[in-house]
């Protein structure tokens, strides 16, 4: 049986869901999105994702189609209607349909689409064994802090990783690692957790914010700064975070084993804490 998806105020079978061919999300990638994980039928860090959505919309002068209460109600209704226990809710807002014109149209009605995706995210083989990555140049646009749907370069990066027989790619700019194709990147070196500082060069991960908070609460030292690929290859541990992978160890970079070449204690501990705390606070 197909899913029930949400489109502009209606819950419809997925095969009946429709968006206009004139939608600016389709024509210009003029849209933003969020991915929220679901564990035990409840939403992980919903408030964080909602806050980032408002920020993305604000940066693009795009109208919010619903308020925060309604957004939560739609997420919950969709989880219930699809009987989703574990997986993700994908949300996308676009500027809406309008005659094709580069300038933003006046008075377009935003398009709001949400759907669920079942996925085993807690017991993950990738988290157990750790993932291998290659490095690639970061060729994305300059406002990576806005979570837009223009994901072609990250898709190309995944394909480069696939062609190289590994799991993912870390992107490098001016000699420093920015982030993974769809996750934030970290190393553990000299007893500290190091991850790139916030700015326009990376997405401000919601999982990142939570993991850094938990790490500090557990008296682990955190340094938010750029790090190089060489530093990463020589690090004791490396890992990535995202809503769909939580904390996942990286055990190989460009064919070089990181640390022992197996998931390390810091990444394992952070994954445990993150899962415990997130499940407790899920709504
Ligand atoms: N991606 N950096 C990039 C480029 C991302 O695409 C993502 C998330 C993250 C991590 O952000 P968060 O912790 O808020 O999920 C960092 C989502 C999961 C995706 O595109 O599927």
């Amino acid at each position: 049986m197909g899913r029930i998806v949400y489109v502009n105020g209606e819950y419809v079978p997925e095969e009946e869901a429709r968006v206009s061919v004139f939608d600016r999300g389709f024509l210009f990638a003029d849209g933003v999105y969020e991915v929220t994980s679901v564990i035990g039928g409840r939403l992980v860090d919903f408030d964080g994702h909602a806050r980032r959505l408002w920020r993305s919309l604000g940066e693009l002068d795009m109208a919010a189609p619903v308020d925060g209460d309604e957004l939560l109600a739609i997420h919950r209704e969709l989880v219930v209607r699809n009987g989703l226990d574990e997986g993700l809710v994908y949300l996308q807002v676009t500027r809406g349909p309008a005659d094709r014109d580069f300038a933003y149209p006046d008075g377009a009605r935003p398009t709001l689409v949400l759907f669920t995706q079942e996925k085993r995210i807690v017991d993950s083989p990738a988290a157990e064994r750790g993932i291998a990555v290659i490095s690639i140049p970061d060729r994305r646009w300059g406002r990576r802090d806005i979570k837009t749907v223009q994901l072609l370069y990250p898709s190309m990066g995944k394909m480069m990783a696939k062609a190289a027989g590994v799991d993912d790619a870390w992107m490098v700019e001016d000699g420093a690692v920015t982030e993974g194709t769809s996750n934030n990147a970290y190393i553990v070196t000299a007893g500290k957790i190091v991850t790139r500082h916030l700015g326009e060069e990376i997405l401000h991960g919601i999982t990142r914010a939570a993991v850094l908070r938990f790490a500090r609460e557990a008296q682990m030292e955190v340094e938010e700064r750029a790090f190089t690929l060489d530093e990463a290859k020589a690090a004791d541990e490396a890992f990535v975070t995202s809503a769909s992978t939580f904390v996942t160890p990286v055990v190989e970079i460009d064919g070089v084993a990181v640390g022992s070449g197996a998931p390390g204690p810091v990444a394992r501990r952070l994954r445990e804490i993150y899962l415990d705390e997130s499940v407790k606070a899920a709504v």
Side-chain angles (χ1 to χ4, degrees):
M1 209 179 66
R3 280 170 291 193
I4 298 295
V5 306
Y6 174 96
V7 185
N8 293 329
E10 292 188 72
Y11 295 90
V12 293
E14 61 179 56
E15 55 278 11
E16 290 171 26
R18 295 283 180 274
V19 175
S20 166
V21 295
F22 297 106
D23 196 283
R24 288 182 57 96
F26 179 58
L27 297 178
F28 289 100
D30 187 359
V32 299
Y33 76 108
E34 284 296 331
V35 176
T36 305
S37 58
V38 173
I39 303 178
R42 294 195 304 158
L43 300 153
V44 174
D45 222 334
F46 175 81
D47 285 345
H49 289 284
R51 263 199 306 278
R52 186 173 59 192
L53 176 65
W54 308 138
R55 181 178 179 279
S56 293
L57 291 170
E59 291 297 306
L60 297 173
D61 295 324
M62 208 182 284
V66 291
D67 66 17
D69 290 344
E70 214 177 330
L71 195 68
L72 176 57
I74 297 167
H75 274 76
R76 282 184 162 150
E77 182 67 21
L78 211 54
V79 167
V80 169
R81 286 197 188 216
N82 288 286
L84 182 68
D85 180 57
E86 192 173 316
L88 311 162
V89 177
Y90 175 89
L91 165 155
Q92 180 168 332
V93 183
T94 75
R95 204 179 301 275
D99 269 348
R100 187 173 182 276
D101 183 357
F102 283 78
Y104 301 165
D106 288 328
R109 268 195 43 213
T111 298
L112 176 59
V113 168
L114 287 90
F115 57 80
T116 55
Q117 205 158 304
E118 266 182 53
K119 198 174 172 198
R120 292 282 302 273
I121 48 181
V122 177
D123 291 324
S124 139
E128 274 306 305
R129 65 165 191 271
I131 61 168
V133 302
I134 50 166
S135 61
I136 60 170
D138 197 336
R139 295 203 168 126
R140 296 173 298 164
W141 79 324
R143 288 302 306 276
R144 302 159 194 159
D145 57 313
I146 309 173
K147 198 165 170 61
T148 74
V149 296
Q150 41 160 328
L151 296 173
L152 192 52
Y153 189 71
S155 290
M156 289 170 74
K158 289 268 190 207
M159 294 311 291
M160 290 183 239
K162 230 176 155 172
V166 298
D167 305 288
D168 202 356
W170 275 16
M171 294 180 281
V172 177
E173 189 172 58
D174 299 331
V177 173
T178 51
E179 56 189 332
T181 57
S182 59
N183 44 56
N184 289 117
Y186 307 71
I187 57 172
V188 180
T189 183
K192 290 178 190 161
I193 298 164
V194 179
T195 192
R196 194 180 177 100
H197 52 283
L198 296 181
E200 294 183 351
E201 302 79 23
I202 63 166
L203 184 73
H204 302 184
I206 302 308
T207 319
R208 176 189 182 281
V211 163
L212 293 188
R213 189 172 71 246
F214 297 142
R216 287 177 171 126
E217 282 169 10
Q219 314 300 324
M220 299 178 186
E221 257 195 274
V222 174
E223 215 171 79
E224 293 178 69
R225 63 160 174 88
F227 61 88
T228 66
L229 203 55
D230 285 343
E231 236 184 313
K233 288 175 188 168
D236 297 318
E237 289 187 41
F239 60 94
V240 292
T241 66
S242 78
S244 50
T245 61
F246 308 125
V247 178
T248 297
V250 170
V251 295
E252 187 191 296
I253 303 172
D254 289 336
V256 176
V258 179
S260 65
V266 174
R268 279 183 184 281
R269 177 95 189 94
L270 283 175
R271 185 178 174 90
E272 239 171 64
I273 299 176
Y274 180 79
L275 281 171
D276 279 357
E277 296 296 326
S278 308
V279 168
K280 265 191 248 164
V283 296

